[in-house]
Amino acid sequence: MNIVTAISEKFLAPYAGYNKERFRQDVLAGLTVMTVAFPLSMAFAIASGVKPEQGLFTAIIGGGIVAALSGSRVQIGGPTGAFVIITYSVLQAYGLNGLFLCTMMAGVMLCVMGLSKMGSIIRFIPYPVSRAFTKGIAVLILSSQIKNFLGLNVEKMPVDFVGKIQVLVSHLGGIHWPTVALGVASLTLMGFWPKRLARFIPGTMVGMIVATIVVTVFGLHDRWQIATIGEFSGSFPAFQMPSTDWATLKNLVQPAFTIAMLVAMQALLCAVVTDGLIDERHDSNRELVGQGVANLVGPLFGCIPVTGAVARSVINVRSGARSPVSGITHSLFLLVVMLVAAPLVSYIPLTALSAVLVLAAYRMVSWKQFLRLPRWPFSDSSVFLATFALTVLTNLTLAVEVGVVLAALLMVKRISETSMITAVDEATETEGSQHSLIGKEVPKGVLIFRVFGAFFFGVADKLDTELKRAKQDPEVLILRVRKVLAMDATGLQALEDLHLKLKKKGKHLILSAPHTQPLAVMINSGFIDRLGEENVCAHIGASLARAREILGLPPVEEVTTTQEALLAEKKKIEAVRRDLAAAVENASRLLNRSGDGDQPTKP
């Protein structure tokens, strides 16, 4: 019962204080977002190689589920440019059934990620990797739209970027200029549509409607052979379970992982952006589960991959949305428009939808980013360019896999850079109280090193380097690890090797003030038993005392610092302070009397 209550409270939290005015704002925001989502959903579907209505199904069904289950209260879900290339690739290789199955597998992976609390990890994928994906995908989208935008008669386009460009270049002699003229006019209208009017109806919707009216009224489809969407089914899709076999499932694991990673990255990025706009904090793990359910259920009704759409979500917020109601009503409005406008949709020119995607791809890319690369750290620039090149020139699956590995390597590099090992003496001491070396005697033959940061991958090499730099072979080596908050197996092995090396030479290792996590790792591995519990000390004073014991030196007499002694010292200081204050007061009185004696007496 407690679990049910907790879940209910989580789902009802966005509706706390909900009233009629907020409902009105959410509905109006949903209506506004619908006008943006309608052309984009069809355009992304056609670019992905499926029917335009499937893009609308995705925004209606997948978008509705995302709104209801999302960890962000204002996120709008639907098909996005991130999936165009991978969806088209899977469709060409495995057919529509394979695409639906692949999307469902990605949904399962997303649910597992969310339930295993991986949301907080994925959202921190380095900026160079996530931005490189975005820019690479934008280039691929632009290349995929040249055919329809120029009206080229190409029966089948290659999946890879280089092959696609080669085919397009070989067909440039067949440019259909009426199609180009309509496409350029549509793109111009969309791009220069006034921002003050875009609050009520976006330029993409206006450009698509105007282009459709022109083609329909003037009969340009028949007169100038301008290609249109053609057959469009306005009926709601029926439930259909994709067929499967073990061989297909094995082949789809990689593309499914790619889809899952792209969904996770874009959805969590979208959630972070909207958090800043409404001053809220999303639940990243719940977000992944919501996206997973949407991608698991959607394909049963003909949907392609769905994720959070940044542009649509931002428009949603700026239109006044503050709860999931806006996302749900956006899906309902899309359903109504699809059912009502189905006979007219077939007349929408393909070049107008290409203009929608060309504009979307252009806005996905900030080309100034490339100009800033020389000012980035070399490692970040290299990772960015490598991920971008792989995304454009190879395939998105390989790019995502390599990108994730590069992200991990970049994180490891950053962690290793923050880890430091330095020799310590009184002159370089920075610690205070009982952890300070100041005033303590360091016996001859004792060497002290401070380790700072995580005791991970690169620390072992740094430790060897510092020991060689010291140019002495200590009888006792004290490692101060009070500021080591985390240790992994590599760091533990480095300590094991150091201990064995010293032990073979008859030398000793002492650990000073280990933190909780590293201490637990060392205890569980049995290292503390091999080192000896007496060689793990609570602070530097105890470590030096242990070193003297090992060297056979007498203990240093400790200065009494008991509470009674401190109180006695305080009383002495207070007495001196009172005597000094009394002396100052007497001196002031004498000076005043002397001043009075200098005044002339009256007759």
Side-chain angles (χ1 to χ4, degrees):
M1 187 64 183
N2 291 334
I3 297 177
V4 174
T5 304
I7 294 174
S8 300
E9 288 177 354
K10 263 197 168 183
F11 278 97
L12 294 176
Y15 305 100
Y18 204 73
N19 53 39
K20 189 183 294 185
E21 177 59 23
R22 285 186 62 183
F23 177 74
R24 185 187 69 83
Q25 289 179 339
D26 283 336
V27 170
L28 291 177
L31 180 61
T32 302
V33 177
M34 180 274 296
T35 61
V36 179
F38 188 78
L40 284 174
S41 299
M42 291 191 296
F44 285 133
I46 292 173
S48 300
V50 298
K51 296 177 180 179
E53 55 263 39
Q54 289 179 271
L56 292 175
F57 297 159
T58 304
I60 293 168
I61 300 171
I65 294 174
V66 166
L69 302 181
S70 173
S72 170
R73 62 177 65 190
V74 291
Q75 183 153 181
I76 299 295
T80 69
F83 303 112
V84 166
I85 306 305
I86 184 65
T87 301
Y88 185 80
S89 301
V90 174
L91 184 66
Q92 295 300 310
Y94 303 102
L96 195 58
N97 183 80
L99 174 60
F100 292 154
L101 191 59
C102 185
T103 306
M104 293 178 71
M105 290 172 64
V108 173
M109 292 178 186
L110 285 163
C111 289
V112 172
M113 289 178 190
L115 294 173
S116 57
K117 310 296 183 184
M118 291 182 63
S120 56
I121 300 174
I122 294 173
R123 63 182 289 192
F124 292 120
I125 285 181
Y127 182 84
V129 174
S130 61
R131 293 301 91 189
F133 283 142
T134 302
K135 287 163 179 54
I137 290 168
V139 171
L140 294 175
I141 291 174
L142 286 170
S143 69
S144 71
Q145 295 309 299
I146 295 174
K147 170 180 172 288
N148 287 336
F149 193 80
L150 300 181
L152 300 178
N153 186 18
V154 181
E155 290 185 5
K156 189 173 182 180
M157 291 287 288
V159 174
D160 65 292
F161 176 78
V162 175
K164 195 176 296 180
I165 296 300
Q166 289 175 340
V167 170
L168 290 171
V169 170
S170 66
H171 285 77
L172 285 179
I175 292 176
H176 191 246
W177 293 108
T179 298
V180 174
L182 183 61
V184 170
S186 301
L187 182 60
T188 304
L189 179 58
M190 294 174 189
F192 291 96
W193 184 249
K195 290 184 178 180
R196 66 180 186 277
L197 298 179
R199 294 174 55 192
F200 306 101
I201 181 168
T204 50
M205 190 74 166
V206 174
M208 187 188 70
I209 292 174
V210 171
T212 305
I213 291 173
V214 169
V215 168
T216 305
V217 171
F218 294 100
L220 301 184
H221 174 62
D222 298 321
R223 185 183 300 178
W224 287 344
Q225 287 77 50
I226 291 180
T228 60
I229 285 179
E231 183 181 351
F232 180 87
S233 172
S235 59
F236 198 77
F239 176 88
Q240 186 174 357
M241 177 68 74
S243 59
T244 182
D245 59 81
W246 178 243
T248 304
L249 284 176
K250 286 196 300 181
N251 292 331
L252 290 175
V253 169
Q254 280 188 306
F257 175 75
T258 302
I259 292 174
M261 287 302 298
L262 289 173
V263 171
M265 285 190 290
Q266 185 154 340
L268 295 178
L269 171 65
C270 180
V272 170
V273 171
T274 55
D275 280 353
L277 294 174
I278 62 175
D279 195 24
E280 290 283 347
R281 184 172 178 81
H282 72 279
D283 184 334
S284 56
N285 295 310
R286 177 179 165 184
E287 182 65 51
L288 291 182
V289 173
Q291 298 287 343
V293 173
N295 283 282
L296 182 60
V297 174
L300 300 174
F301 298 93
C303 299
I304 58 178
V306 59
T307 188
V310 177
R312 277 163 269 178
S313 299
V314 170
I315 292 171
N316 185 41
V317 173
R318 289 177 176 168
S319 300
R322 289 298 181 272
S323 82
V325 171
S326 59
I328 296 171
T329 54
H330 132 272
S331 296
L332 295 175
F333 282 131
L334 276 174
L335 175 61
V336 172
V337 172
M338 184 187 75
L339 296 175
V340 173
L344 302 175
V345 171
S346 60
Y347 294 102
I348 297 175
L350 290 178
T351 186
L353 286 180
S354 292
V356 172
L357 289 187
V358 167
L359 186 63
Y362 175 78
R363 288 172 175 171
M364 284 173 68
V365 180
S366 172
W367 299 107
K368 294 179 181 178
Q369 189 81 73
F370 291 92
L371 300 177
R372 291 199 293 266
L373 289 180
R375 297 195 293 270
W376 280 10
F378 179 75
S379 57
D380 292 85
S381 300
S382 301
V383 167
F384 177 92
L385 291 173
T387 308
F388 175 79
L390 286 169
T391 303
V392 175
L393 299 176
T394 59
N395 61 74
L396 199 55
T397 299
L398 178 62
V400 168
E401 290 172 348
V402 174
V404 170
V405 172
L406 289 175
L409 293 176
L410 196 59
M411 186 175 296
V412 169
K413 183 178 183 298
R414 291 288 181 267
I415 291 174
S416 65
E417 287 173 348
T418 61
S419 300
M420 295 183 294
I421 299 178
T422 55
V424 188
D425 54 26
E426 285 195 48
T428 59
E429 182 59 271
T430 60
E431 300 281 357
S433 68
Q434 63 182 352
H435 296 284
S436 176
L437 272 178
I438 297 174
K440 294 182 174 68
E441 180 186 342
V442 179
K444 186 178 179 180
V446 175
L447 197 59
I448 304 173
F449 280 94
R450 179 193 293 116
V451 185
F452 178 85
F455 213 109
F456 283 170
F457 299 87
V459 177
D461 291 334
K462 289 184 179 181
L463 187 56
D464 285 338
T465 301
E466 288 298 326
L467 285 172
K468 289 175 182 176
R469 188 178 297 171
K471 295 181 179 179
Q472 57 176 297
D473 200 8
E475 291 295 321
V476 178
L477 175 64
I478 298 176
L479 282 186
R480 302 179 65 177
V481 290
R482 189 169 73 92
K483 293 187 176 180
V484 174
L485 301 182
M487 175 184 287
D488 70 347
T490 308
L492 177 63
Q493 189 58 47
L495 279 182
E496 292 268 16
D497 294 341
L498 178 62
H499 171 56
L500 289 175
K501 190 183 298 183
L502 291 171
K503 190 175 181 180
K504 284 180 182 178
K505 296 179 180 180
K507 316 298 183 182
H508 302 270
L509 174 66
I510 295 175
L511 298 180
S512 177
H515 211 277
T516 306
Q517 192 272 347
L519 183 60
V521 170
M522 292 186 284
I523 291 173
N524 292 336
S525 67
F527 175 70
I528 296 297
D529 293 332
R530 292 186 287 277
L531 179 67
E533 290 185 8
E534 66 278 7
N535 293 321
V536 180
C537 303
H539 49 78
I540 190 63
S543 301
L544 289 171
R546 173 57 184 161
R548 295 184 70 86
E549 182 182 342
I550 291 172
L551 296 172
L553 299 175
V556 176
E557 291 185 10
E558 295 185 7
V559 179
T560 304
T561 56
T562 60
Q563 187 69 18
E564 292 78 6
L566 290 173
L567 288 173
E569 191 67 26
K570 183 179 179 182
K571 288 178 180 179
K572 289 180 182 179
I573 294 173
E574 287 292 330
V576 172
R577 186 186 66 78
R578 285 194 299 269
D579 291 343
L580 182 61
V584 170
E585 186 177 352
N586 289 331
S588 299
R589 191 179 305 116
L590 290 172
L591 287 172
N592 288 335
R593 286 179 181 176
S594 175
D596 292 341
D598 291 337
Q599 297 296 326
T601 58
K602 291 183 181 181

